[in-house]
Structure formats: C-alpha cells, structure tokens
C-alpha cells in the first residue's frame, strides 16, 4: 500500500483543519513560477551534528530562512553562520520559551537534538534521555508547524520516529507522508565502503539500504549494486561494517564524540532532497524510514520518491539474495519491538 493510501486510511487521526491547511500551503508555495519560500528549522542546532549540518545547509543556498534552535548557544551559532556569503537569512533561538518562534511556519524541521553515543553505548542506550527530548519537540511541532516535513535524526531512530508519530496522532495532525527517519548516513557509508572495496568511483556508486537505523536492522542490498563483483566474504564484511560504522567512529574518537560530521553531511544532503521534492523537482528518490506496509514493522526504510507533499511513493524492495532475505527475516521482529517501545513511552509519559 502506498503512503498516499495510508494517509487516506489514517483520515480518522488527521484533523480536517490539517488537510485543509495542506491544500492552502501547496497552493501558496507552488502556484505559477514564483520561487518557493522555504523556512527550515534545525532543532539541536548548537550540537555536534547541528552546527556543521546548519553550516552545510546555509551553504547549499536553497533556504530562504534557516531557523536555528537549541537550549543554549544558538544565537552565537546563528551569527557565525549568517556571515557566510550564501542565500538565506539565519536566526538563532534558545531556551524552551523560544522554541515556538523557531518552529513557527517551518516547511521542514530537521531534528538532531539529543545526547550522543559514547564508547560502549548502543543507540538503544540513548533511549530514555532522547525519547523525552523528542516527545517534547514533537508536542511543540504539533502546535507550531503541524504541516511541516519532520526529519528525525535523534537516536534511536527506530524508536524516536514512532514516538514522533504517536505525539502527532494524539494532537490530530499526523501525516505519514511528512514524517521521515533520516537513514541517509547508512547509504553514505555503504557507497563509501563499496567504492573502496571495488575500486569504483564513489560518485557513481548506488546502494539501496533498507530496514532501520541500528545495528543489524541496517540492511544494505549489495547484491543489487551495478557493476560490483563481491565475494561471499566481501558481502559479510561490508554488511557488518555498514551496520556498525557508527561504532567505528565512536571508538576512533576514543570517548570524544560520535559520528557528527558524517551525520551532518547526510542530514544536510537529505534535507536538500526533501526541499527539492517540495519545490517541484521530479524524480527525487532517496532511502528513508517511513510509515509503510512493506513488512510487519510499522516503520521501515526503503527507496521513496520525495514530492510536493513529502513522501509521494514508497517503492519497497524485491529480488533479494538469500543472505539479504535472511537479514530481513531476522530483523523485522526487532523493528516491531523498537517501534512498540517508542509507542509505550508516549502512552506512559
């Protein structure tokens, strides 16, 4: 079933005013030849991911208003980035009392807020702290910018995306087309590692990564990489490295941080593609973690077409090798449990 169909099926949880507002927004932004006026808000903009990601987004030149929010330090980050000679104004907002202003009228909200991983920690270890942070952000988003596209980076994505969804549902403004877990870093790593292994031009390597965004739930479809010739050993080693690439960075930084710069690149890249879709660019296709019926898991990453209303089509996957099918069979139940953990948190808090 397509995401569009799921929106229709979910009509009981989408407030009539939200549907009406979507129509108004679409007409306002995409009528005639007038340039789109995009406001993008970064929540967690003063952190290790937020700062470099905000810089990359400013340098991209596609954003009319880059609104930066964090608990502290954001005005300084905004002032610094605003001096870059590229299109778009930058504003900085700090403290809970300024979150509404930062979010008001946003077309896209990118959320890297939360605590980073440290050596020995899994993404799931971050759950209790980051779940509370994400829930609070979702509650304010439901009030200030219910029609925005929400791009979730805060880990563990397999649980924080369901948390965000359930908060939006509780407020009557859930649109599954506009909620996306950012799994782009898994794709970036897959392309990089495959290019190294095969001696290929990384700019010409395409790798589909399905599933989730934690450990073995990250499932690269290496059997479908055009022009590659992998041994069985290559497949196993590359799959494991793609799945646990975050650990590689955490260990290399020796307690000083996690994958912030590569995640900043991935987040800025994906936000750029979402903006392309919103602004009418055709054929934008990226992997992302979305509400879909591809498996028994309520959320699952696969290639999606990004359009004027967010995710316009979930393409799914097919033609898996026996190794890849085994990964799917082994990990769907884990994704179900992680999603349920997020939903249970919303119910109990």
């Amino acid at each position: 079933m397509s995401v569009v169909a799921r929106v229709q099926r979910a009509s009981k949880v989408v407030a009539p005013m939200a549907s009406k507002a979507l129509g108004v927004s679409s007409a306002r932004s995409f009528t005639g030849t007038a340039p789109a006026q995009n406001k993008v808000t970064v929540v967690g903009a003063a952190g290790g991911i937020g700062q470099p990601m905000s810089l990359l987004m400013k340098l991209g030149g596609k954003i009319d208003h880059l609104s930066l929010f964090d608990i502290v330090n954001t005005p300084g980050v905004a002032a610094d980035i605003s001096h870059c000679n590229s299109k778009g104004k930058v504003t900085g907002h700090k403290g809970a009392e300024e979150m509404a202003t930062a979010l008001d009228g946003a077309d896209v909200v990118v959320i890297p807020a939360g605590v980073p991983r440290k050596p020995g920690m899994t993404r799931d270890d971050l759950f209790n702290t980051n779940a509370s942070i994400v829930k609070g952000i979702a509650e304010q988003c439901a009030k200030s910018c219910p029609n925005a596209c929400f791009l979730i980076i805060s880990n563990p994505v397999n649980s924080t995306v369901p948390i965000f969804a359930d908060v939006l549902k509780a407020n009557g403004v859930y649109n599954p087309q506009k909620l996306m877990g950012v799994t782009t870093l898994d794709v970036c790593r897959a392309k990089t590692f495959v290019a190294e292994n095969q001696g290929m031009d990384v700019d010409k390597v395409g790798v589909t990564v399905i599933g989730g965004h934690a450990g073995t739930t990250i499932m690269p479809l290496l059997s479908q990489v055009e022009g590659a010739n992998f041994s069985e050993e290559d497949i196993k080693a590359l799959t494991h490295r793609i799945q646990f690439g975050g650990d590689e960075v955490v260990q290399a930084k020796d307690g000083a941080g996690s994958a912030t710069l590569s995640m900043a690149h991935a987040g800025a890249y994906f936000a750029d593609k979402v903006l392309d879709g919103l602004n009418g660019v055709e054929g934008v296709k990226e992997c992302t973690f979305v509400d879909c019926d591809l498996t028994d898991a309520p959320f699952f990453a696969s290639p999606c077409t990004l359009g004027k209303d967010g995710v316009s089509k979930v393409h799914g996957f097919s033609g898996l090798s026996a190794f890849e099918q085994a990964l799917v069979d082994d990990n769907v139940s884990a994704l179900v449990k992680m999603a349920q953990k997020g939903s249970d948190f919303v119910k109990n808090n």
Side-chain angles (χ1 to χ4, degrees):
M1 181 183 295
S2 70
V3 168
V4 175
R6 291 182 67 82
V7 173
Q8 295 171 344
R9 193 184 71 180
S11 59
K12 292 183 179 180
V13 298
V14 179
M17 64 164 290
S19 298
K20 183 177 181 181
L22 277 170
V24 171
S25 174
S26 178
R28 175 175 56 84
S29 299
F30 307 115
T31 300
T33 58
Q37 299 296 311
N38 297 125
K39 177 179 178 179
V40 177
T41 301
V42 178
V43 181
I49 295 171
Q51 288 197 44
M53 185 176 72
S54 298
L55 172 63
L56 291 171
M57 294 170 73
K58 175 67 165 72
L59 296 177
K62 292 184 180 179
I63 300 170
D64 295 283
H65 179 186
L66 182 61
S67 174
L68 307 183
F69 173 81
D70 214 321
I71 299 302
V72 295
N73 300 329
T74 337
V77 174
D80 199 355
I81 291 176
S82 72
H83 292 184
C84 297
N85 59 319
S86 57
K87 177 185 175 183
K89 73 174 181 178
V90 183
T91 57
H93 312 269
K94 69 175 182 177
E97 66 279 3
E98 294 187 20
M99 185 185 289
T101 300
L103 290 167
D104 184 49
D107 299 292
V108 177
V109 181
V110 192
I111 305 171
V115 298
R117 281 202 296 160
K118 297 179 180 179
M121 292 178 68
T122 66
R123 289 182 177 87
D124 206 47
D125 291 332
L126 305 176
F127 179 81
N128 289 331
T129 299
N130 286 357
S132 296
I133 292 171
V134 169
K135 180 174 180 287
I137 295 167
E139 289 169 346
Q140 188 60 60
C141 286
K143 299 173 184 176
S144 298
C145 53
N147 300 318
C149 286
F150 303 111
L151 315 185
I152 313 301
I153 294 172
S154 306
N155 274 316
V157 166
N158 294 351
S159 298
T160 55
V161 172
I163 287 172
F164 215 96
D166 282 359
V167 172
L168 295 179
K169 288 176 185 178
N171 285 272
V173 294
Y174 179 53
N175 182 345
Q177 289 180 265
K178 295 198 169 187
L179 177 60
M180 295 161 250
V182 180
T183 58
T184 311
L185 182 52
D186 303 324
V187 178
C188 292
R189 286 176 174 144
K191 291 180 178 181
T192 300
F193 302 160
V194 165
E196 290 175 355
N197 178 271
Q198 295 288 301
M200 300 170 74
D201 181 348
V202 70
D203 291 332
K204 297 179 180 178
V205 175
V207 186
T208 296
V209 184
I210 64 172
H213 184 59
T216 58
T217 68
I218 300 167
M219 297 176 264
L221 304 186
L222 299 180
S223 70
Q224 299 181 12
V225 177
E226 293 186 9
N229 183 20
F230 300 111
S231 67
E232 289 186 19
E233 291 75 19
D234 286 335
I235 293 285
K236 292 178 181 178
L238 282 169
T239 297
H240 184 272
R241 191 181 179 200
I242 293 162
Q243 291 172 333
F244 296 96
D247 294 347
E248 187 176 311
V249 176
V250 170
Q251 292 164 10
K253 289 190 175 181
D254 196 22
S258 58
T260 53
L261 300 177
S262 53
M263 185 64 247
H265 157 69
Y269 173 87
F270 185 69
D272 182 83
K273 294 301 181 182
V274 171
L275 285 170
D276 280 347
L278 291 177
N279 292 330
V281 177
E282 296 184 356
V284 181
K285 189 176 178 182
E286 297 292 335
C287 294
T288 182
F289 186 69
V290 294
D291 184 336
C292 62
D293 285 335
L294 296 176
T295 68
D296 289 337
F299 294 86
F300 199 86
S302 81
C304 296
T305 294
L306 305 174
K308 292 184 178 181
D309 294 311
V311 176
S312 60
K313 183 176 181 180
V314 178
H315 294 276
F317 54 92
S318 61
L320 305 188
S321 68
F323 177 80
E324 293 158 357
Q325 186 61 57
L327 283 177
V328 174
D329 294 341
D330 291 343
N331 282 285
V332 167
S333 61
L335 286 168
V336 172
K337 291 177 182 177
M338 292 174 190
Q340 188 61 51
K341 186 173 183 178
S343 293
D344 289 344
F345 181 85
V346 175
K347 291 177 184 177
N348 298 324
N349 293 273

